[in-house]
Amino acid sequence: MDQLIDHPAIISVFTMIILGMLVLDLGILNKKGHVVSNREAAIWSAIWISLAMGFSAIIYFYMGSEKFMQFQGAYWIEKALSVDNLFVFILVFGYFNVAKEAQHKVLFWGVLGALVFRAIFIFTGVWLLNYTYLPELNLFGEAVKINYLLTIFGIILILAGIKSGFSNEEDEGSTDFSKSAGSKFVHQFFKVSPHFDGDKFFSVQNGIKMATPLFVVVAIVEFTDLLFAVDSIPAIFAIAPDDPFILYTSNIFAILGLRSLYFLLANFMYMFSKLKYGLAVILSFIGVKMIIAPFYHIETTVSLLVVGSLLILSVIASLLFPDKD
């Protein structure tokens, strides 16, 4: 089957877009920390979504509708699941009282870490999938090839969906992030100052170079993303388990647009109060899709319609039945 790796020109376009946007972001537009307005966040969200849709159009033109739908499915699943991740970032920033001027820098470096770790997870996962097929079985007169790793992923997603649907938001809001894995990691290897120093990750205090609480926040954001990847990466394997480049490119476009989306969410959380229920059903649906894949194939188009419908319904429910808080 045709894969994205067979089209080096498309991969080159992807690389140039990502590197160009990162240089523009860090080197030109955001040299100094500043408060990101709703207007700026909306503009950049639109830019990143447009870039992703434009890239998917290139895939459609050169590789056909199936690969186009795989990219779209993986992109929107990652985007949807990452929204839940952003809610945790809001809690982390609130817990440490991170200044709004410094939040963009934290998210930027968090995204750079995600670029590396997602590549490791995706390419390693696809490689493992090729070695985890059971011998072909004959069930009800049909030849069936079961991949036990995909089956395990499916079970994990169903359990994650159930857990997400019944999670207690009050418990999440009372989390002590100072005892999280990211915080413990930094405190184990660095002396940590109790005070911020602008948007610096390290500062010299009393002649001693120390990590600032902002560096601790970056570590927590990175570790949080790793935890969320346990759900999101297996979920996109259900879309295109044999094409890591489709998964990676869609994943990166989704992640890079999250920083601007974060600043919108921080001000409009009420519009997503019921999103966790939609995400719970999405995770469970994808888990079921992975488990039954050897027996019944759910088309990528159907998966995309289900995911999109659930997201729209959860937002509508949030607006019609807002939380009292």
Side-chain angles (χ1 to χ4, degrees):
M1 187 176 180
D2 191 22
Q3 294 190 359
L4 190 54
I5 195 173
D6 300 322
H7 298 266
I10 301 180
I11 296 178
S12 298
V13 170
F14 167 77
T15 304
M16 288 188 292
I17 291 174
I18 299 304
L19 291 179
M21 292 299 290
L22 289 177
V23 170
L24 180 65
D25 190 328
L26 185 63
I28 300 176
L29 299 178
N30 294 292
K31 278 187 175 181
K32 295 182 179 180
H34 68 285
V35 178
V36 178
S37 66
N38 288 337
R39 180 176 180 274
E40 181 183 351
I43 291 173
W44 276 104
S45 294
I47 289 174
W48 277 114
I49 292 175
S50 298
L51 286 172
M53 296 303 100
F55 185 75
S56 69
I58 295 175
I59 291 176
Y60 178 83
F61 184 79
Y62 287 99
M63 303 183 67
S65 59
E66 179 60 26
K67 288 297 180 181
F68 169 80
M69 295 305 297
Q70 288 181 357
F71 179 93
Q72 289 285 338
Y75 174 82
W76 289 110
I77 286 173
E78 176 63 33
K79 182 74 85 175
L81 295 178
S82 295
V83 169
D84 207 24
N85 201 356
L86 293 182
F87 287 142
V88 177
F89 294 167
I90 292 173
L91 296 176
V92 172
F93 289 155
Y95 182 89
F96 287 95
N97 293 318
V98 178
K100 290 185 177 181
E101 294 83 356
Q103 292 179 7
H104 183 278
K105 184 176 181 180
V106 172
L107 293 173
F108 180 88
W109 288 104
V111 165
L112 285 186
L115 296 181
V116 176
F117 290 121
R118 295 303 174 96
I120 295 172
F121 288 161
I122 289 172
F123 286 95
T124 301
V126 172
W127 176 76
L128 286 174
L129 288 178
N130 293 326
Y131 295 95
T132 52
Y133 281 98
L134 297 175
E136 190 173 277
L137 303 174
N138 193 299
L139 296 176
F140 308 108
E142 296 287 338
V144 175
K145 291 189 70 174
I146 298 175
N147 188 299
Y148 65 83
L149 184 58
L150 282 178
T151 302
I152 293 173
F153 282 164
I155 295 172
I156 291 174
L157 290 178
I158 292 173
L159 294 176
I162 295 173
K163 180 181 177 181
S164 176
F166 290 95
S167 65
N168 190 319
E169 294 180 0
E170 292 182 0
D171 291 341
E172 293 176 2
S174 61
T175 301
D176 186 354
F177 290 105
S178 64
K179 297 179 181 179
S180 65
S183 178
K184 290 180 179 179
F185 177 84
V186 174
H187 280 83
Q188 184 173 356
F189 292 98
F190 301 94
K191 289 185 176 181
V192 180
S193 167
H195 307 294
F196 286 92
D197 187 3
D199 64 352
K200 295 179 181 179
F201 292 143
F202 294 91
S203 73
V204 177
Q205 299 184 17
N206 299 323
I208 301 174
K209 188 173 184 179
M210 306 177 74
T212 67
L214 198 65
F215 186 71
V216 176
V217 173
V218 171
I220 293 173
V221 166
E222 293 287 6
F223 273 82
T224 301
D225 183 71
L226 290 177
L227 292 176
F228 274 87
V230 174
D231 291 340
S232 66
I233 298 302
I236 61 175
F237 281 148
I239 302 299
D242 61 342
D243 196 336
F245 282 96
I246 284 287
L247 298 180
Y248 185 66
T249 53
S250 59
N251 209 263
I252 296 310
F253 271 115
I255 289 173
L256 286 175
L258 287 180
R259 285 169 304 139
S260 51
L261 185 60
Y262 163 83
F263 292 101
L264 287 178
L265 284 179
N267 294 325
F268 298 101
M269 288 182 65
Y270 68 92
M271 293 180 61
F272 302 93
S273 62
K274 302 296 184 293
L275 182 63
K276 73 169 188 174
Y277 300 111
L279 295 179
V281 179
I282 288 173
L283 286 172
S284 300
F285 166 74
I286 297 172
V288 172
K289 172 183 167 70
M290 297 176 86
I291 292 174
I292 68 173
F295 315 98
Y296 181 77
H297 175 65
I298 299 176
E299 296 292 337
T300 307
T301 305
V302 175
S303 299
L304 187 57
L305 288 173
V306 170
V307 171
S309 299
L310 288 170
L311 288 176
I312 293 172
L313 288 174
S314 63
V315 172
I316 292 175
S318 300
L319 295 174
L320 293 178
F321 309 101
D323 286 348
K324 295 180 180 179
D325 295 338

